[in-house]
Amino acid sequence: MDAYDEEPAGDRAGSLGPPPVAADTPPVGAGAPPVGLDAPAGPRTGVAALSPRYQVGAALALALVAVVVCVHLGMVFLSVAPANTVTRQHGKAIEEWVYPEFEQNWKLFAPNPLQQNIAVQVRADVLMPDGTTTTTGWNDLSVQDGKAIDGSLLPSHTVQNELRRAWDFFVTTHGADNRPIGMRGSLSEQYLRRIVVMRMYEQDATSEKGTIQRVEVRSSTTNVPPPEWSGEKVSDTPVYRVLPWWTVTSEEANGGVR
């Protein structure tokens, strides 16, 4: 009886296998392209559809358009840029390209960057403890500010702007004869005088030993040298604007600005 109840081992294994496949069922992947083969490429479009000869012509045309665009942008840039070596040498060609069709009514910088170095210098008459008066040499305060800024990651606004703005304030409120224009002229003189007196007490050895009685301020203006390749020649001789001697008040002379 046990022999009839038990199934053969082969029958048990067959019952766990995949179901039988019908005779009319197509094999898996019969309609798909063979594995590892790319699908056929579609028709080429654009420049790629042209023949090699026309592709070369199209590439040359695109390169020509790119060159013209770059030249045009460069000409417009130079027309609105501050005066420089290139515009001085090729100004006529730039104007012929830009005007009148591409004329611009704006400038790249407002105001234009200075093309001169302006240094503020001062000397003083100092009353020494022995009763004699000594005139110091010229102290270049702008150079001292430049040394303080050079290499400093966070230079103070005082070092960067105090002296420069004081000189600009004086120039805009005085004429070429150094006479004040308007009511702010005397204020600009007082402001500049107090700054230079304070700086002399701090940085000039002679002034530290005595009492400053008078100060004389001047500016030294030199042209920024052009690049060597330009061949342009500019004078490197400084031009001085010397102000009259200013008498230091008793408050300033006795430590009022120290």
Side-chain angles (χ1 to χ4, degrees):
M1 182 175 181
D2 293 338
Y4 292 100
D5 292 337
E6 293 182 358
E7 296 180 1
D11 293 340
R12 288 200 304 270
S15 63
L16 298 178
V21 179
D24 58 348
T25 302
V28 177
V35 178
L37 298 179
D38 296 334
R44 289 187 287 181
T45 59
V47 178
L50 302 175
S51 64
R53 182 176 61 180
Y54 288 105
Q55 288 182 2
V56 172
L60 292 176
L62 292 175
L64 179 61
V65 171
V67 170
V68 172
V69 170
C70 290
V71 170
H72 175 71
L73 293 178
M75 290 292 190
V76 174
F77 171 81
L78 291 172
S79 69
V80 298
N84 54 72
T85 302
V86 177
T87 55
R88 280 191 284 267
Q89 290 185 350
H90 307 287
K92 185 176 181 180
I94 295 173
E95 291 180 357
E96 291 177 353
W97 180 282
V98 173
Y99 297 103
E101 290 83 1
F102 308 112
E103 181 179 0
Q104 305 293 315
N105 59 357
W106 60 280
K107 291 296 182 182
L108 191 62
F109 297 102
N112 287 336
L114 295 176
Q115 297 187 359
Q116 296 174 324
N117 291 321
I118 302 176
V120 178
Q121 303 170 350
V122 60
R123 65 177 178 176
D125 281 346
V126 183
L127 178 63
M128 305 304 292
D130 59 2
T132 61
T133 300
T134 301
T135 302
T136 68
W138 288 103
N139 287 259
D140 197 323
L141 304 183
S142 297
V143 169
Q144 296 171 3
D145 285 347
K147 291 180 179 179
I149 295 172
D150 188 22
S152 176
L153 296 178
L154 297 172
S156 68
H157 285 285
T158 301
V159 174
Q160 297 180 77
N161 300 318
E162 182 182 56
L163 181 64
R164 179 179 61 84
R165 296 294 296 272
W167 179 255
D168 290 343
F169 183 26
F170 177 87
V171 171
T172 55
T173 56
H174 286 72
D177 58 355
N178 298 323
R179 294 182 179 273
I181 302 173
M183 300 180 61
R184 303 180 69 194
S186 59
L187 177 61
S188 66
E189 288 183 10
Q190 180 183 4
Y191 182 54
L192 181 60
R193 185 181 67 248
R194 290 175 66 87
I195 289 176
V196 298
V197 169
M198 177 182 63
R199 296 283 294 273
M200 289 293 284
Y201 274 129
E202 293 176 349
Q203 301 173 2
D204 182 68
T206 303
S207 301
E208 292 176 355
K209 298 176 183 178
T211 301
I212 297 177
Q213 294 184 313
R214 298 192 308 165
V215 292
E216 186 179 27
V217 180
R218 74 178 184 183
S219 67
S220 174
T221 303
T222 55
N223 294 316
V224 175
E228 296 181 356
W229 52 262
S230 68
E232 184 180 356
K233 302 295 182 182
V234 297
S235 174
D236 57 356
T237 303
V239 177
Y240 295 101
R241 176 176 179 176
V242 183
L243 308 186
W245 283 93
W246 288 335
T247 300
V248 178
T249 64
S250 58
E251 292 182 356
E252 297 169 350
N254 292 315
V257 293
R258 297 197 190 190

